[in-house]
Amino acid sequence: MSAAATTDERLLRTSPLRRLLGRPELGSVVGALAVFVFFAFAADSFLRAASLSTVLYASSTIGIMAVPVALLMIGGEFDLSAGVLVTSSALISSMFSYQMTANVWVGVGVSLLVTLAIGAFNGFMLSRTGLPSFIITLGTFLMLTGMNLGFTKLISGTVSTKTIADMEGFPSARDVFASTLTVGGVDFKITILWWIALVAVASWILLRTRAGNWIFAVGGNQDAARAVGVPVTATKIGLYMGVAFGAWIAGQHLLFSYDVVQSGEGVGNELIYIIAAVIGGCLITGGYGSAVGSAVGAFIFGMTSKGIVFAEWNPDWFKFFLGAMLLLATLLNAWVRKRAEAAK
Amino acid sequence: MARFRTWVGIAVAGALTLSLAGCSSTGGKRAEDARKAAAARGAAAVTTPRWTFAMITHSGDGDTFWDIVQSGAEEAAAKDNINFLYSHDDEAQQQAQLVDAAVDKKVDGIIVTLAKPDAMKAAVARAVKAGIPVITVNSGSEESEEFGALTHIGQDETIAGQAVGEELNARGRKKALCVLHEQGNVGHEQRCAGVKETFDGTVQNLYVTGTSMPDVQSAIEAKLQADTSVDAVVTLGAPYADTAVKARQGAGSDAEIDTFDLNAKVAAGLKEGTLGFAVDQQPYLQGYQAVDLLWLYKYNADVLGGGKPVLTGPQIITKEQAAALEEYTERGTR
């Protein structure tokens, strides 16, 4: 039966075009192009290099979190605590340095450990209790929101942290997390580099490593994955720690960019990260998606939210435009994907 | 499980080593303690009975402004020998229930904000009927007397906005941006409308997501890039002024940044000249005066204002006053 071997669909040679159509981020790339062209016509100032740098900055602050959130969604789980975890991470760093009168790098290190521990807690609770991640992380979200406020008030006496700008290590930490690079006369925020690096690392993990296969496997069918020996628990804890790592970077950017952190911030951002991942082609049910897609999703979000400002539309309708653009982008994305799957 | 414990051990050990490794010789808690040693808090200055006053505001969680109001009220309470209870909820219905709870508790005086007057009407009426003196603060200057409160202490948001418009005129500004960090907040709309009334140039509103500083920054930056003729940016809360300064840098604009309300960073910015001016409604005074006036009413049947609101602002603060205020913003009372 040699004929059967050649007709095995996994061994079929597909044309590059076909393969491109099968990529999860294709729909979002088309959507991003549409949004880009739209604003290029709607707003004169949109195409200027400085404006694009602003759009990239806005996208990167979302994108840094959208990458690990996308990985988590591919692994079949949600994290509603991702938004406030960013604020928690910044608060821990700032308050530890201030209260201990320590070099700020010490606070940054402690913050990394604590943030990762919170991520691990999410994953651990999920695996142990078997409750849906929606409930677990909703609990974490509420606890973190309360703790951000409670601890800050308890320790600092006010609802925002004290300034740590005059402390040792601040300038070098700011260089790493919140500096500005000038390329060809245009200023770019360093978060853009962090974002690109995260996308590259996440893509490598997803496509080239065993852990990447595990992520797709647990998101696709958890029981089947466990049956073939995939370490489901470790993979999920790892994914939550990935989100925590992203929150740490975003949080440190927040701290070193603005110096003082407001404890009530971050609520609501978790939805924006999830939206970016979904626009980028991640399925809410898990098992499908890509890191590059999440970046494109974040870019669409950044372009839309800032493009509305560049176009100088009536601000009363801001949220409406934002919602309509997101819906259109996602519909276009879904349509392209359906076409692509039909063509396969 | 054993492996998990090992990891926890390593993490704890790592944290300890890190914290022992590096100390900062500048700033931080140690510097603050030195400052605090100088200014110790006072004790009760009167021997009147220990009355209980409740303050119920419409503050959301983690609002710097209300923190200052609260600290003013607490210091007046300490001085007046008052047992001071503070509670807040940004949902009007919940806030009304908190007022009801205070009435049930038979407190000796109530301080309340009327951000959404209609929702608070019944609760305030119930307090007045129960013979509990009520003072309104911050918002509700129009409804205060009608609802039966003794006095209203606060700033008229429209008047504050008008003061900003006049100051912008004096500074020769032509095109201003009013940055609203909460879409749908009535007080915010009144402030920007007030600016529009007195400002000779044009005013544009910009709505930003107040819970995300990077969004605030990039939105202001985008606006300044889109419209290079904007020469003044007015933020409605102190924390956003510093972010606006960053946005200005990013956009390469030379617009002046002005703000409502005050905090340590704003005072420093005014002193350095990165900010133009701040318009302060003195939240400390709102808390302090409310408690003190309730005490005066209980002790001496005093009332203030003759049915008209007692205004705590707007006070325009520029470079000259900022230096003197820096110390007070640092300790959270201005």
Side-chain angles (χ1 to χ4, degrees):
Chain A
M1 288 288 279
S2 60
T6 50
T7 50
D8 187 331
E9 49 102 18
R10 286 170 300 180
L11 293 176
L12 271 180
R13 286 190 167 271
T14 49
S15 68
L17 183 70
R18 281 264 170 98
R19 231 177 309 157
L20 182 73
L21 284 171
R23 299 290 306 150
E25 59 271 6
L26 180 79
S28 62
V29 170
V30 174
L33 278 175
V35 173
F36 185 86
V37 170
F38 177 76
F39 278 115
F41 280 106
D44 320 327
S45 47
F46 188 74
L47 284 179
R48 277 188 229 136
S51 310
L52 290 177
S53 145
T54 305
V55 167
L56 275 177
Y57 172 58
S59 312
S60 71
T61 54
I62 299 164
I64 285 175
M65 284 303 285
V67 172
V69 166
L71 256 56
L72 183 68
M73 283 181 73
I74 296 171
E77 304 295 343
F78 268 107
D79 191 349
L80 295 179
S81 67
V84 282
L85 189 56
V86 172
T87 312
S88 304
S89 170
L91 288 171
I92 293 163
S93 199
S94 167
M95 287 197 290
F96 189 89
S97 303
Y98 187 86
Q99 294 301 322
M100 299 291 161
T101 320
N103 187 306
V104 296
W105 278 105
V106 179
V108 171
V110 170
S111 167
L112 176 62
L113 291 176
V114 178
T115 311
L116 285 177
I118 296 169
F121 170 81
N122 273 335
F124 184 74
M125 287 295 285
L126 183 85
S127 313
R128 268 301 155 107
T129 59
L131 288 170
S133 57
F134 186 90
I135 299 296
I136 300 279
T137 58
L138 186 63
T140 320
F141 160 75
L142 291 171
M143 287 195 292
L144 284 178
T145 312
M147 265 163 37
N148 283 353
L149 207 61
F151 274 126
T152 313
K153 190 81 198 276
L154 193 70
I155 294 171
S156 306
T158 62
V159 290
S160 58
T161 63
K162 310 274 171 86
T163 176
I164 57 162
D166 56 350
M167 296 179 67
E168 279 171 18
F170 189 88
S172 56
R174 192 177 45 200
D175 285 347
V176 173
F177 292 107
S179 57
T180 306
L181 309 166
T182 309
V183 182
V186 186
D187 292 339
F188 290 97
K189 297 279 184 335
I190 200 164
T191 45
I192 300 168
L193 284 186
W194 277 103
W195 180 32
I196 294 170
L198 278 179
V199 172
V201 171
S203 295
W204 177 75
I205 291 176
L206 270 184
L207 303 175
R208 291 273 176 274
T209 68
R210 204 152 58 133
N213 285 333
W214 292 344
I215 295 171
F216 280 110
V218 297
N221 187 335
Q222 189 171 312
D223 297 326
R226 187 172 277 129
V228 296
V230 171
V232 174
T233 306
T235 306
K236 292 208 165 161
I237 292 179
L239 285 172
Y240 274 105
M241 288 175 79
V243 174
F245 182 74
W248 175 72
I249 296 173
Q252 302 314 300
H253 169 68
L254 211 59
L255 171 61
F256 292 107
S257 182
Y258 303 106
D259 174 20
V260 170
V261 187
Q262 311 284 319
S263 56
E265 275 193 22
V267 178
N269 287 355
E270 63 281 343
L271 288 178
I272 291 174
Y273 308 144
I274 292 172
I275 290 167
V278 171
I279 292 178
C282 287
L283 285 187
I284 292 183
T285 45
Y288 189 78
S290 72
V292 176
S294 81
V296 179
F299 188 53
I300 290 181
F301 205 94
M303 279 196 292
T304 312
S305 65
K306 296 304 158 299
I308 288 165
V309 181
F310 282 120
E312 307 208 285
W313 287 338
N314 185 345
D316 293 345
W317 293 84
F318 182 92
K319 291 270 166 67
F320 176 82
F321 284 132
L322 199 61
M325 293 296 289
L326 289 174
L327 204 55
L328 278 175
T330 320
L331 282 174
L332 183 63
N333 174 9
W335 181 74
V336 170
R337 191 166 58 209
K338 207 172 274 173
R339 289 262 143 158
E341 275 165 6
K344 238 200 289 206
Chain B
M1 203 60 209
R3 226 173 2 149
F4 183 68
R5 271 199 213 108
T6 321
W7 278 109
V8 170
I10 291 172
V12 170
L16 284 176
T17 330
L18 268 175
S19 53
L20 289 175
C23 280
S24 174
S25 58
T26 49
K29 174 87 171 160
R30 210 177 296 152
E32 186 196 335
D33 287 341
R35 270 200 305 276
K36 260 193 186 158
R41 295 260 165 105
V46 293
T47 52
T48 45
R50 192 162 174 79
W51 292 310
T52 298
F53 293 167
M55 180 171 197
I56 302 109
T57 73
H58 67 274
S59 162
D61 284 338
D63 192 314
T64 338
F65 179 90
W66 289 102
D67 221 38
I68 302 175
V69 174
Q70 203 186 330
S71 93
E74 271 165 5
E75 282 185 28
K79 186 201 68 177
D80 293 340
N81 193 28
I82 297 297
N83 176 26
F84 179 71
L85 309 170
Y86 180 79
S87 54
H88 67 94
D89 204 302
D90 50 3
E91 295 283 331
Q93 194 191 0
Q94 302 291 331
Q95 194 198 351
Q97 286 172 9
L98 288 170
V99 175
D100 283 338
V103 174
D104 296 337
K105 228 184 283 182
K106 296 192 172 66
V107 296
D108 301 291
I110 288 178
I111 301 156
V112 68
T113 64
L114 304 178
K116 287 166 187 151
D118 295 333
M120 301 301 293
K121 191 172 186 175
V124 173
R126 198 168 156 250
V128 173
K129 202 178 162 207
I132 300 172
V134 177
I135 285 185
T136 58
V137 292
N138 186 261
S139 35
S141 55
E142 278 161 32
E143 293 81 7
S144 177
E145 195 184 3
E146 180 198 330
F147 285 10
L150 296 178
T151 310
H152 177 81
I153 300 164
Q155 159 182 271
D156 188 304
E157 302 289 12
T158 311
I159 291 176
Q162 289 167 346
V164 170
E166 277 157 19
E167 184 69 22
L168 288 173
N169 286 338
R171 288 161 176 262
R173 299 289 148 179
K174 296 281 171 280
K175 193 165 192 183
L177 197 61
C178 201
V179 183
L180 299 93
H181 56 268
E182 253 180 62
Q183 198 159 12
N185 181 318
V186 182
H188 288 184
E189 298 286 347
Q190 284 173 343
R191 286 178 173 186
C192 289
V195 177
K196 211 166 271 180
E197 269 171 40
T198 53
F199 185 45
D200 295 331
T202 53
V203 183
Q204 286 187 334
N205 287 3
L206 176 70
Y207 295 92
V208 295
T209 314
T211 48
S212 168
M213 275 298 177
D215 180 80
V216 177
Q217 180 177 340
S218 48
I220 298 174
E221 208 171 300
K223 185 69 189 180
L224 289 176
Q225 283 163 343
D227 188 350
T228 46
S229 62
V230 170
D231 59 1
V233 177
V234 181
T235 58
L236 299 189
Y240 305 99
D242 192 52
T243 308
V245 170
K246 290 208 168 56
R248 172 178 62 187
Q249 281 165 0
S253 154
D254 53 3
E256 177 182 276
I257 314 286
D258 307 306
T259 187
F260 282 82
D261 300 343
L262 202 61
N263 68 12
K265 287 214 103 176
V266 168
L270 288 170
K271 214 173 90 175
E272 287 161 16
T274 50
L275 298 176
F277 65 90
V279 47
D280 190 19
Q281 60 171 310
Q282 308 191 81
Y284 183 84
L285 198 56
Q286 293 181 359
Y288 191 94
Q289 281 298 346
V291 170
D292 222 23
L293 277 180
L294 268 182
W295 178 82
L296 278 166
Y297 179 77
K298 297 287 287 185
Y299 175 67
N300 209 25
D302 284 325
V303 285
L304 203 61
K308 294 270 181 294
V310 180
L311 299 185
T312 59
Q315 185 194 24
I316 302 271
I317 296 162
T318 57
K319 197 172 185 166
E320 289 82 55
Q321 297 97 40
L325 293 181
E326 218 180 0
E327 177 193 344
Y328 310 133
T329 55
E330 201 78 39
R331 70 179 187 200
T333 58
R334 273 308 293 262

